[in-house]
Amino acid sequence: MKKELKKNCMSYLFKKVSALLLLVCLCLSTVAGCASKKADDTTLSSQDSGTNSKGMETKEDGSGERKNTKKTDKEAAKPEMNVGLANPYYAPSEDYNTEEYSVIKESGFTSTISNPLSTFAADVDTASYSLMRKKINEGVLPEPDAVRIEEMLNYFNYDYPQPKKEEPFSVTTEISDCPWNKDTQLMLIGLRAEEVDMSEAKPSNLVFLIDVSGSMDAPDKLPLVKKAFLLLTNQLKKGDKISIVTYASGDKVVLKGADGKDKDIINAAIEDLNAGGSTAGSKGIETAYDIAEKNFIEGGNNRVILATDGDLNVGITSEGELTRLISKKKESGIFLSVLGFGEGNIKDNKMQALADNGNGNYSYIDSIYEARKVLVSELGGTCHVVAKDTKFQVEFNPENIKGYRLIGYENRVMESEDFDNDKKDGGEIGSGHTVTVLYEIVPIDSPMEVGKDLKYGDKKKDSSKSSVSDELLTVNIRYKKPDEDTSSLLEYPIKKDSVNDRMSDNMSFASGVAEFGMLLRRSEYAGSSSYDNVLELIGNIKESDDSKDEFKLLVKKAKSIDTGSDSKKDDNDNR
């Protein structure tokens, strides 16, 4: 009897344990299935939202801004989610790359019959080049919309002649065969601004407007900001007025109107800055401009220098609202310099909008070396304006030029009638700055077709214009002196004899930079462009410098990254 009872108990326990084990297995299998479905849904969502050639998800919102939701390199290095039984609850990080860049619609070819005028504002920003450099050095190619070819061109110094007396800048033009299109020619327009002797420069009224919000708490953000401003402080002199305004959840006046000779006081205020809180940037802008106006120096250099990642999330935050705010503030006669820092959440579109609409310039600081370049070596160009509201208008002669394409400057294009309108804002050119412009032009005898003939267009030649039949085009430039509101006009006719069989060093290097930019942008106008061709063009120059030598290395790295990604794609296609 006892043996039978014991046997029944053992049987009952065995059944219960078996049932319990089966239930556990079913639960674990369900969890694994959910995780797998989540991964599949994520993949489908990525396909629905659209991905670019690099596997990077891009979404475009109503403002025309492209948001990049690619994971950061740090996240990419993490192990993938294990949907097996060993670790069913492991979940991927929710932190994504939220960088924002304005969408660039690349300029195409325009017929000179339908529109012989090309009008745009000057631009001396260089942020795009530094951003591109940081990405390539990290082993990835930049987003196409982060590549602004004009900013890449203008990052470098060119051997343009010094301006003549009483002129704010010299103008150089050159035309040669286009390296990537056998049916077109390439035209270079180069400006070189007069250089101010910094020892004789007028006193400065500077307001350091520094973002100390929580998003700036990273080694390449606030710590680098502090190092950059400490470099700038060393360049100050007696009579300069320095104020410091910070903003996070609110704004704070840290220093007001200190004399440039009091470097210890200024440095101490910078060193004490710490990051934390949300980002009420618009409030900080208001306060900074108010202080700049109170300390305004007549005839001096009055400027707000904004250091931020652009991630504004309190108060006025949209690009449109910020543009309207800064457009009002520029009427005070105070200029703006925007310094971008960091990555992962950088809002390039907002910082560019602030600089373009605030009588300013925009640089991206990715290292202490770039900080030294912008705030020490090129301080005059960054902070001392020699010509404001500078605009270009190139008039092409339809008798000799069939069509043209402006390379870059897409966000600076203006209506033709805005060229003569002094109320329309142009670009600011600082001391010693060089501005480089490239056009791809279609000669009248080229087999390339550009547009179509107008049905009602007057194709008869006007005998009264026979005197300009040897002119290819005329470069017109308008500018204002820093303390004036009426513009002056400069005109430079370009004749057929300007075409050269061989490129100068300036033209060869600039064309190489433009070709590299088109490769990064995946431009439909890249033609026969290649990394090897870029290296040949920039390798032809006789004299180089550190920046140009660095550029050669970046081209080689980009080639390796690009060809590597193509090889991986081919491997996947063959599987």
Side-chain angles (χ1 to χ4, degrees):
M1 184 74 178
K2 290 182 179 179
K3 289 183 177 180
E4 186 69 17
L5 180 61
K6 184 177 181 181
K7 182 178 180 181
N8 290 338
C9 288
M10 292 295 291
S11 176
Y12 175 80
L13 288 173
F14 178 80
K15 289 179 181 180
K16 287 293 185 181
V17 171
S18 297
L20 183 61
L21 288 172
L22 179 63
L23 180 61
V24 170
C25 289
L26 287 173
C27 290
L28 292 176
S29 178
T30 301
V31 171
C34 291
S36 179
K37 184 177 185 303
K38 182 176 180 181
D40 291 339
D41 289 344
T42 301
T43 301
L44 289 172
S45 175
S46 175
Q47 292 172 349
D48 290 340
S49 64
T51 57
N52 64 16
S53 62
K54 301 299 177 187
M56 182 183 298
E57 184 181 346
T58 55
K59 296 182 180 180
E60 191 168 312
D61 59 19
S63 65
E65 298 169 3
R66 188 181 297 277
K67 295 189 177 181
N68 168 9
T69 57
K70 181 182 177 184
K71 292 183 181 181
T72 63
D73 293 339
K74 183 177 179 181
E75 291 170 313
K78 291 182 178 180
E80 293 184 359
M81 177 176 174
N82 182 357
V83 296
L85 301 181
N87 188 14
Y89 302 108
Y90 182 83
S93 171
E94 293 299 322
D95 294 329
Y96 287 88
N97 184 325
T98 60
E99 295 177 357
E100 295 179 12
Y101 304 94
S102 295
V103 176
I104 297 176
K105 185 178 180 181
E106 193 172 23
S107 299
F109 283 95
T110 301
S111 169
T112 56
I113 294 176
S114 61
N115 187 6
L117 298 176
S118 173
T119 310
F120 62 98
D123 190 358
V124 295
D125 295 348
T126 60
S128 180
Y129 181 86
S130 301
L131 280 162
M132 174 272 295
R133 176 178 59 201
K134 186 176 181 68
K135 295 294 184 183
I136 290 177
N137 281 332
E138 291 175 346
V140 295
L141 296 180
E143 273 285 285
D145 287 327
V147 179
R148 295 184 288 273
I149 294 177
E150 70 277 11
E151 296 186 20
M152 293 175 62
L153 288 168
N154 290 327
Y155 184 85
F156 301 97
N157 290 318
Y158 298 86
D159 188 25
Y160 302 141
Q162 293 288 342
K164 298 177 181 177
K165 291 183 179 181
E166 307 302 324
E167 289 189 1
F169 38 71
S170 66
V171 178
T172 300
T173 58
E174 183 179 346
I175 300 175
S176 189
D177 291 336
C178 181
W180 56 82
N181 188 338
K182 62 182 178 59
D183 295 327
T184 63
Q185 295 175 326
L186 199 62
M187 179 178 72
L188 176 146
I189 304 172
L191 270 66
R192 184 186 185 93
E194 63 177 312
E195 196 152 359
V196 175
D197 184 347
M198 294 304 294
S199 64
E200 300 177 1
K202 296 177 180 178
S204 295
N205 163 34
L206 303 178
V207 179
F208 301 167
L209 176 56
I210 302 175
D211 181 354
V212 294
S213 63
S215 68
M216 294 291 286
D217 189 14
D220 60 349
K221 294 188 178 183
L222 187 58
L224 184 55
V225 170
K226 292 161 71 171
K227 292 176 183 177
F229 279 104
L230 290 172
L231 287 174
L232 176 55
T233 301
N234 289 332
Q235 309 304 308
L236 301 175
K237 59 183 186 296
K238 183 179 179 179
D240 293 336
K241 296 180 182 179
I242 306 301
S243 303
I244 300 176
V245 176
T246 62
Y247 65 91
S249 302
D251 64 298
K252 178 181 178 182
V253 179
V254 177
L255 194 65
K256 192 172 182 179
D259 193 284
K261 65 178 176 55
D262 297 326
K263 292 180 173 55
D264 289 344
I265 295 175
I266 301 170
N267 287 339
I270 294 171
E271 291 281 16
D272 286 343
L273 299 178
N274 293 294
S278 54
T279 317
S282 58
K283 180 59 177 172
I285 291 172
E286 295 269 11
T287 302
Y289 272 85
D290 286 346
I291 292 176
E293 289 181 43
K294 291 175 181 176
N295 292 324
F296 194 88
I297 299 175
E298 287 293 338
N301 170 38
N302 298 280
R303 182 174 295 268
V304 172
I305 303 178
L306 168 62
T308 179
D309 58 12
D311 193 8
L312 305 155
N313 51 39
V314 175
I316 296 175
T317 60
S318 75
E319 183 180 332
E321 290 176 310
L322 287 168
T323 296
R324 286 187 285 275
L325 170 63
I326 209 69
S327 294
K328 292 179 181 178
K329 293 298 181 183
K330 75 176 182 182
E331 301 303 326
S332 62
I334 296 165
F335 293 88
L336 175 69
S337 289
V338 180
L339 306 179
F341 290 83
E343 65 176 340
N345 66 329
I346 189 168
K347 302 299 182 282
D348 174 81
N349 56 329
K350 293 178 181 178
M351 291 188 285
Q352 187 185 21
L354 287 170
D356 287 349
N357 293 278
N359 277 352
N361 47 57
Y362 170 33
S363 302
Y364 176 75
I365 309 299
D366 60 336
S367 66
I368 191 63
Y369 304 105
E370 186 66 15
R372 185 174 287 108
K373 178 178 184 290
V374 173
L375 297 175
V376 179
S377 303
E378 300 177 2
L379 178 61
T382 303
C383 293
H384 292 270
V385 174
V386 297
K388 67 178 183 180
D389 287 339
T390 308
K391 310 172 193 174
F392 290 82
Q393 185 169 80
V394 181
E395 181 178 359
F396 293 91
N397 182 358
E399 287 188 29
N400 296 316
I401 302 294
K402 187 185 297 186
Y404 61 89
R405 184 176 81 87
L406 176 62
I407 301 175
Y409 293 92
E410 288 89 353
N411 64 351
R412 305 295 278 167
V413 171
M414 308 176 74
E415 298 295 333
S416 299
E417 57 269 24
D418 291 343
F419 181 70
D420 294 322
N421 186 349
D422 283 348
K423 293 183 179 179
K424 294 294 183 178
D425 189 32
E428 280 58 56
I429 299 179
S431 167
H433 263 150
T434 59
V435 179
T436 300
V437 180
L438 290 178
Y439 276 95
E440 193 173 349
I441 59 178
V442 186
I444 197 67
D445 58 354
S446 171
M448 181 176 172
E449 295 296 330
V450 182
K452 61 181 180 179
D453 292 339
L454 299 177
K455 181 178 180 180
Y456 301 107
D458 184 5
K459 302 176 185 178
K460 295 180 180 180
K461 292 184 179 180
D462 187 346
S463 60
S464 65
K465 296 183 179 180
S466 59
S467 61
V468 298
S469 61
D470 65 335
E471 291 183 2
L472 298 175
L473 53 100
T474 298
V475 178
N476 303 289
I477 302 174
R478 279 198 177 277
Y479 71 95
K480 299 173 186 173
K481 293 182 179 180
D483 54 352
E484 294 183 3
D485 295 322
T486 303
S487 67
S488 299
L489 174 65
L490 300 174
E491 296 178 302
Y492 301 90
I494 309 302
K495 298 186 177 183
K496 293 179 179 179
D497 58 10
S498 297
V499 180
N500 300 311
D501 294 332
R502 188 172 181 178
M503 290 184 174
S504 68
D505 281 3
N506 289 329
M507 177 71 118
S508 185
F509 189 83
S511 61
V513 174
E515 187 169 333
F516 182 59
M518 288 192 294
L519 288 170
L520 294 179
R521 285 194 50 75
R522 300 292 191 261
S523 170
E524 64 177 291
Y525 304 103
S528 61
S529 296
S530 69
Y531 293 107
D532 289 337
N533 194 39
V534 172
L535 290 170
E536 182 179 350
L537 286 167
I538 63 179
N540 287 336
I541 62 174
K542 297 174 183 177
E543 296 184 10
S544 188
D545 57 34
D546 290 344
S547 294
K548 292 177 180 177
D549 290 339
E550 177 194 57
F551 178 63
K552 294 175 186 177
L553 295 176
L554 289 174
V555 175
K556 292 176 181 178
K557 287 183 180 180
K559 177 184 177 182
S560 177
I561 296 167
D562 207 0
T563 54
S565 64
D566 289 342
S567 298
K568 290 179 182 178
K569 182 181 178 183
D570 291 339
D571 290 342
N572 291 332
D573 291 341
N574 293 329
R575 288 177 182 174

